[in-house]
Amino acid sequence: MIYMHCQVRFEDFDRWKASMDADAAAQHAAGIHLKQMWRGIENPNIAFFVLEVDDMDRAREFLAPDAVAKAEAEAGASDFQYFFVERIELHQVA
């Protein structure tokens, strides 16, 4: 399974989160699905989130630089970064 680990800064969490929520159908159509989200404690103007990715090429198309710049401007966000990652199984110590 492929995931995207993302980080973004924003001016106003509620504005940014509303933009993320409004974009959910487009994300789903692009084959990326929000799985987890965290907000910074020491810096509440930063968020981290993980999306499950059906197809890396489709995800890259969705995240074209012009599209990301437009979305950032509309949501009051900046410094969006993403990394494609895979899950590593951990061995638990009893």
Side-chain angles (χ1 to χ4, degrees):
M1 184 67 53
I2 299 170
Y3 296 91
M4 284 175 43
H5 181 267
C6 306
Q7 174 181 319
V8 66
R9 294 183 185 279
F10 40 78
E11 300 164 2
D12 177 283
F13 176 78
D14 293 330
R15 176 181 169 194
W16 173 78
K17 180 69 169 63
S19 176
M20 279 288 289
D21 292 343
D23 200 39
Q27 292 172 14
H28 184 76
I32 54 179
H33 316 282
L34 184 62
K35 294 299 178 181
Q36 294 283 325
M37 183 180 293
W38 301 268
R39 184 175 180 189
I41 293 173
E42 294 175 326
N43 181 353
N45 292 332
I46 192 168
F48 305 89
F49 51 102
V50 173
L51 301 122
E52 190 174 278
V53 177
D54 294 340
D55 179 277
M56 284 177 43
D57 291 332
R58 283 178 49 209
R60 282 189 182 105
E61 288 175 22
F62 182 77
L63 296 168
D66 290 344
V68 169
K70 181 181 178 196
E72 282 183 327
E74 291 173 359
S78 64
D79 300 328
F80 175 68
Q81 297 179 24
Y82 67 92
F83 305 90
F84 290 104
V85 297
E86 62 184 346
R87 184 173 179 198
I88 306 298
E89 293 297 325
L90 301 176
H91 297 281
Q92 300 295 323
V93 177

